[in-house]
Structures are given as structure tokens and as C-alpha cells.
């Protein structure tokens, strides 16, 4: 078995924290396609985007050539409250699996919001504050993003209005209360508060909502109130950029100990944690300096990379946001009410979509019950109770480690453990009671979602 010369937990010194975010687009030969203005069908201008988003974030969104962006000092100071995040060697899991593989995970659950989302929440709230805004609006799926944003807004004294996907609002009352404790107002989506919410309710009575619906409502709320902008917890390239602190810290820690991962795995909802984790490694691959295998893991119930199409689509159900070229199931696709709220999004980051289309990254879809089986196995040996979203990555990491057991290969596997699952105990209860099922959309359902793609 492993000789354990590598520590169980690799921490960095505060002075080793990244001081810049890395923009992987700068090293991509095939750049992600530009966002299109839904009104004109042409590449969107900074001016048009600034009606919805903060100016500094618009600059980051549109810049595909600058490789590094300085992290402003106040954001670095906030990061120091909960970063560096540990890189953990999963010795106990390796032993349990009796695999020759070496397994590492980067744990992002060490903050009250319980996930990596805080890395971008503080950045976005900071730029809103710098612009002199009163507040921000947003959507949240399972509640992690809303929780993270409400923490960041409380810290900076900004108003925070959250539209929460209705099924999560009902399934996860505790997340809702954490947000309210931090001072955010939380509305179940679709709601009667916005015109688009009322329209969606009329067309789909009794719907449990989706991220796409909630985005439309939050955008409408931002653009109809003076001094407000909209912020988003995933999908956009600015979010992926902020999340590169995950990958940069990981790379520094691994380099310190001379560790080189063979396979890097992450769960993919809108793609921000995965994009953030793999960016520095992908940069090396794009520049021809090193080679890695990257695997995106998505739920079989919402398989945008593995069963979607690579086309321009709306980012939201209400079709008010810019169009992005991405792997998508169609903006009208409403995934079944699974327990991984953070992965119920119809599209995928345009950066990851392009990398996947270029064959630089693989994708796999996994079923819910197998994900919870992996979560349980992991919790029992590694101690951490993982978020259902994160457990998608655990599933594939275990599968890859078991392959190594068969072949005898000593591969080094790295995966992103994006958060904790304390607020997902109804889901664990269902699994523990043997009542959890799997839902895989039929080909007809996928075709229906793709039938109404915009013509561009
Ligand atoms: C939101 C979330 C995800 C998925 O979002 P990405 O943008 O794809 O990273 C994954 N894990 C957790 C814990 C989340 O909260």
C-alpha cells in the first residue's frame, strides 16, 4: 500500500495563494464563439451587456486574449478567511478500494455556504459595490449560489434578491433560511413578482421551476430596478475565471510535491468549478507542455454534453439573456426534479463546450442512485459528507480507480469535491430508505427540448 510520504492534507501558505485569475481562453486556438445579442442576433457589445451586468465583469466576460487578471486586494483578503482550500490525498478511499491508483481531491466545502460558489460571489459583489450599485439580483438552484452571494453581499453591505428554483425552495428550507439570516430576500421561482414568472406559470401550471426560469426572473428584476445588476453563479466565463483559484491552488500544491495528475475529474452543471479546476492544467495541454485527461461528469437526467447539441441557444427559459454557443438540451428543457439542483441546467459553459467539441475533454453521465452509492462509500471512509453534485465526480473517480485495480496501473486521479451535503439530507434520507429512483429522459423528451432552438 501507499508509503504515505505525501501528507493527508496539503495546505498552502497564505503567501502562496494565487494573486491573479487565469483566463484559459488566451491559450485556446479555437476561441469560444461570442455571445449574441438576442435583439440583433449580432455579437453583443459591452454597452448592451452593461445594462445587465457590472462593467468590470463585462470586461472580463468579453476578453479572450488577456491570460491573467489581477485579483483586487479586498477580494484576496476575503479569500484568506476560508482559503487556501485543502488538497486531500484520499488514502482511506484508496485502501477501501484496494486500488493502486493515487487519489486526490480539492475540497471547496470549508466555508459556511458549503461550496466553491463563494469564490465568484465575493468577486461579483465586490465589482458591484465598486460600481456604486445598491444591490444585485440572482437565481439559485439548490441554494448554494444564493447562500454564497448572500454572505458576500452581507460582508460588503449590498442588497441581495434571490429567485430560488421552486422545488429547491420547498426541498431545502434550511438553505433558504441561511440566506435570509445573511439578509437576502428569497422568492420561489417561477413567481408572480415578474412578468416572465407570471407567463411561465400560465404556460406550465404547477411547474417546480428550473434554473433557466429563475434566471429570466432575476434578469427582469435587475433591469427594472434602479441601481441593480444581475449576477450569475455559473455558466458565464467570468465565473469560470474566478473559479480558477481552485485549479491554481491545486497546481501550486501538486507542483510543491512533484505530483502530476493523469486524470482530472469534476462535476459539471454550468461548468464553473470544473472549468476553474482544470484551467491551469488545460493551459499546459493547450500550450503543448503537458498532457492530461479531463472528464466532465453530468447527471443522466440532465445530459447537456453527452446528449445535447453544440449550437447557439438562449441561456434562460424566458429568452432575455444573450445567446451562447454551447452544448445544450434547449432552453425549454425542464429536467426532472432530481436531488442535484446545482446540476439542473440545460446548457454548459461556452469555454468547456468548445474544449469538449475540440476533443480536449471527455464527458460522462451518471445516474442518481449510483452517485449516492459513491457518496455514501466516500463519506464512510473519508469522513466528509459530500454534496450530491460533488458526488458525481466521486462516482467517476471511484470508477477510474477501480479500472486501475483491474489493470494494475498506478494512475494519479484528481477530482474536485465542490461542497458539503448537510442541507441535502432529504435526498440522503430517500437514498437510505431505498426510495430514490433514476430518471433518464427519453429520446423524444430530448428531441422536444431541442425542437425550439433559435435559428442563427
Ligand atoms: C453549483 C454547484 C455545482 C455545479 O456548478 P458548476 O458551475 O458546474 O461548478 C457543483 N457542486 C456544488 C456543490 C455546487 O453548489
Amino acid at each position: 500500500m501507499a508509503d504515505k510520504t505525501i501528507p493527508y492534507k496539503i495546505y498552502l501558505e497564505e503567501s502562496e495563494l494565487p494573486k491573479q485569475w487565469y483566463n484559459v481562453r488566451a491559450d485556446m486556438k479555437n476561441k469560444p464563439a461570442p455571445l449574441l445579442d438576442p435583439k440583433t442576433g449580432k455579437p453583443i457589445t459591452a454597452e448592451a451587456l452593461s445594462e445587465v451586468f457590472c462593467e468590470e465583469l463585462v470586461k472580463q466576460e468579453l476578453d479572450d486574449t488577456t491570460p491573467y487578471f489581477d485579483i483586487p486586494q479586498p477580494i484576496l483578503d476575503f479569500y484568506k478567511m476560508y482559503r487556501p482550500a485543502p488538497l486531500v490525498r484520499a488514502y482511506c478511499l484508496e485502501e477501501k478500494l484496494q486500488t493502486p491508483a493515487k487519489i486526490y481531491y480539492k475540497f471547496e466545502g470549508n466555508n459556511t455556504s458549503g461550496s466553491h460558489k463563494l469564490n465568484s460571489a465575493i468577486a461579483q459583489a465586490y465589482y458591484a459595490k465598486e460600481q456604486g450599485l445598491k444591490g444585485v439580483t440572482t437565481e439559485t438552484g439548490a441554494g448554494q449560489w444564493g447562500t454564497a452571494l448572500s454572505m458576500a453581499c452581507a460582508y460588503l453591505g449590498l442588497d441581495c434578491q434571490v429567485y430560488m428554483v421552486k422545488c429547491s425552495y420547498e426541498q431545502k428550507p434550511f438553505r433558504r433560511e441561511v440566506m435570509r439570516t445573511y439578509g437576502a430576500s428569497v422568492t420561489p421561482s417561477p413567481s408572480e413578482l415578474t412578468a416572465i414568472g407570471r407567463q411561465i406559470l400560465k404556460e406550465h401550471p404547477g411547474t417546480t421551476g428550473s434554473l433557466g426560469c429563475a434566471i429570466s426572473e432575476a434578469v427582469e428584476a435587475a433591469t427594472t430596478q434602479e441601481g441593480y445588476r444581475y449576477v450569475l453563479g455559473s455558466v458565464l466565463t467570468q465565473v469560470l475565471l474566478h473559479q480558477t483559484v481552485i485549479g491554481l491552488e491545486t497546481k501550486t500544491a501538486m507542483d510543491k510535491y512533484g505530483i502530476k495528475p493523469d486524470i482530472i475529474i469534476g462535476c459539471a452543471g454550468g461548468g464553473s468549478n470544473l472549468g476553474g479546476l482544470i484551467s491551469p492544467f488545460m493551459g499546459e495541454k493547450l500550450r503543448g507542455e503537458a498532457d492530461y485527461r479531463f472528464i466532465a461528469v453530468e447527471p443522466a437526467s440532465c445530459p447537456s454534453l453527452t446528449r445535447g447539441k453544440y449550437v447557439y441557444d438562449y441561456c434562460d427559459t424566458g429568452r432575455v439573456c444573450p445567446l451562447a454557443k454551447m452544448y445544450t438540451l434547449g432552453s425549454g428543457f425542464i429536467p426532472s426534479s432530481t436531488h442535484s439542483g446545482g446540476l439542473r441546467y440545460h446548457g454548459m459553459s461556452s469555454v468547456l463546450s468548445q474544449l469538449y467539441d475540440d476533443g480536449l475533454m471527455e464527458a460522462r453521465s451518471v445516474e442518481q442512485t449510483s452517485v449516492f452509492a459513491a457518496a455514501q462509500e466516500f463519506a464512510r471512509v473519508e469522513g466528509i459528507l459530500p454534496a450530491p453534485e460533488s458526488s458525481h465526480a466521486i462516482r467517476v473517480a471511484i470508477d477510474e480507480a477501480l479500472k486501475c485495480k483491474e489493470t494494475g496501473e498506478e494512475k494519479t486521479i484528481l477530482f474536485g469535491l465542490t461542497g458539503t451535503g448537510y442541507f441535502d439530507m432529504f435526498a440522503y434520507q430517500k437514498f437510505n430508505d431505498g426510495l430514490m429512483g433514476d430518471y433518464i429522459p427519453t429520446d423524444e423528451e430530448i428531441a422536444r427540448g431541442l425542437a425550439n432552438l433559435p435559428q442563427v
Side-chain angles (χ1 to χ4, degrees):
M1 284 273 86
D3 58 13
K4 303 198 176 172
T5 50
I6 306 282
Y8 275 68
K9 277 190 182 152
I10 305 178
Y11 279 105
L12 297 176
E13 302 293 330
E14 208 170 89
S15 59
E16 293 171 301
L17 281 176
K19 294 181 182 55
Q20 295 177 310
W21 294 300
Y22 167 60
N23 183 11
V24 70
R25 288 171 296 179
D27 285 309
M28 289 171 69
K29 238 186 266 139
N30 297 330
K31 308 277 186 199
L35 294 171
L36 300 184
D37 191 323
K39 291 186 199 119
T40 63
K42 298 224 166 66
I44 198 151
T45 60
E47 200 187 349
L49 265 186
S50 300
E51 288 168 22
V52 181
F53 300 105
C54 302
E55 279 154 31
E56 209 48 44
L57 294 166
V58 168
K59 276 188 209 153
Q60 294 178 356
E61 191 66 34
L62 298 179
D63 187 337
D64 61 9
T65 53
T66 306
Y68 288 95
F69 287 92
D70 287 339
I71 306 175
Q73 190 61 42
I75 300 177
L76 277 177
D77 290 342
F78 186 87
Y79 280 168
K80 284 177 198 162
M81 293 200 293
Y82 68 99
R83 307 199 69 81
L87 175 68
V88 184
R89 173 73 184 266
Y91 285 120
C92 305
L93 180 62
E94 289 168 23
E95 200 161 315
K96 168 80 192 310
L97 299 174
Q98 290 290 300
T99 174
K102 301 175 177 70
I103 307 174
Y104 293 85
Y105 57 91
K106 179 72 167 169
F107 180 48
E108 290 290 326
N110 267 340
N111 67 76
T112 299
S113 75
S115 82
H116 66 284
K117 298 235 169 45
L118 196 55
N119 301 331
S120 186
I122 186 61
Q124 297 193 48
Y126 169 79
Y127 290 119
K129 183 80 181 174
E130 280 295 291
Q131 199 176 316
L133 299 177
K134 286 184 211 151
V136 290
T137 70
T138 198
E139 80 298 328
T140 195
Q144 287 99 322
W145 167 245
T147 310
L149 187 68
S150 61
M151 283 176 72
C153 286
Y155 180 75
L156 295 167
L158 274 175
D159 185 34
C160 181
Q161 302 176 352
V162 181
Y163 288 83
M164 185 169 187
V165 178
K166 191 180 274 169
C167 70
S168 302
Y169 185 92
E170 286 158 6
Q171 276 175 8
K172 298 179 180 179
F174 297 139
R175 276 244 170 69
R176 182 181 79 206
E177 294 313 317
V178 177
M179 287 184 252
R180 293 179 62 212
T181 302
Y182 282 98
S185 60
V186 188
T187 306
S189 167
S191 78
E192 299 282 346
L193 289 189
T194 64
I196 190 70
R198 291 189 289 272
Q199 187 188 323
I200 291 167
L201 282 173
K202 215 162 112 194
E203 284 168 14
H204 305 273
T207 175
T208 52
S210 71
L211 273 180
C213 297
I215 293 174
S216 305
E217 290 207 89
V219 170
E220 183 182 321
T223 50
T224 52
Q225 293 176 93
E226 177 74 33
Y228 281 77
R229 290 291 185 282
Y230 167 67
V231 294
L232 182 56
S234 182
V235 189
L236 291 176
T237 309
Q238 54 187 270
V239 184
L240 195 149
L241 177 76
H242 306 147
Q243 295 298 352
T244 60
V245 290
I246 303 172
L248 291 163
E249 275 182 14
T250 304
K251 182 127 195 351
T252 306
M254 289 196 139
D255 285 349
K256 230 170 138 168
Y257 285 88
I259 306 158
K260 187 183 167 294
D262 297 296
I263 310 174
I264 306 177
I265 301 164
C267 62
S272 75
N273 88 81
L274 175 65
L277 174 67
I278 70 174
S279 275
F281 300 96
M282 182 62 83
E284 288 190 326
K285 181 164 170 144
L286 291 166
R287 296 189 302 269
E289 297 164 8
D291 198 16
Y292 305 97
R293 267 180 75 198
F294 302 101
I295 308 176
V297 190
E298 56 185 16
S301 60
C302 193
S304 44
L305 287 169
T306 50
R307 293 177 72 193
K309 266 193 185 165
Y310 188 37
V311 288
Y312 268 106
D313 192 13
Y314 293 98
C315 292
D316 60 319
T317 316
R319 307 184 159 197
V320 294
C321 287
L323 289 99
K325 188 174 178 197
M326 58 184 177
Y327 275 87
T328 179
L329 296 164
S331 62
F333 181 81
I334 297 190
S336 66
S337 182
T338 68
H339 293 286
S340 293
L343 305 183
R344 295 177 80 229
Y345 183 66
H346 66 272
M348 184 58 61
S349 144
S350 62
V351 173
L352 291 187
S353 291
Q354 184 63 48
L355 292 169
Y356 177 61
D357 204 58
D358 286 340
L360 291 159
M361 183 181 85
E362 304 163 36
R364 218 171 276 176
S365 74
V366 290
E367 290 170 30
Q368 180 166 248
T369 49
S370 77
V371 165
F372 274 81
Q376 186 186 67
E377 188 165 20
F378 179 83
R380 288 181 185 180
V381 291
E382 288 290 321
I384 294 171
L385 183 84
E389 292 87 353
S390 323
S391 306
H392 286 69
I394 299 176
R395 173 73 273 157
V396 170
I398 290 179
D399 290 346
E400 289 299 316
L402 290 175
K403 273 186 211 160
C404 289
K405 184 175 172 177
E406 273 171 34
T407 61
E409 286 173 288
E410 291 184 29
K411 284 189 182 153
T412 298
I413 298 169
L414 164 67
F415 72 90
L417 188 68
T418 49
T420 48
Y422 299 120
F423 291 125
D424 300 286
M425 297 323 291
F426 286 124
Y428 275 95
Q429 181 183 18
K430 264 217 165 129
F431 179 74
N432 293 334
D433 288 344
L435 298 174
M436 181 177 281
D438 290 311
Y439 188 79
I440 303 175
T442 62
D443 288 341
E444 289 72 39
E445 283 170 292
I446 296 281
R448 218 176 302 141
L450 294 171
N452 289 317
L453 290 168
Q455 303 298 316
V456 287

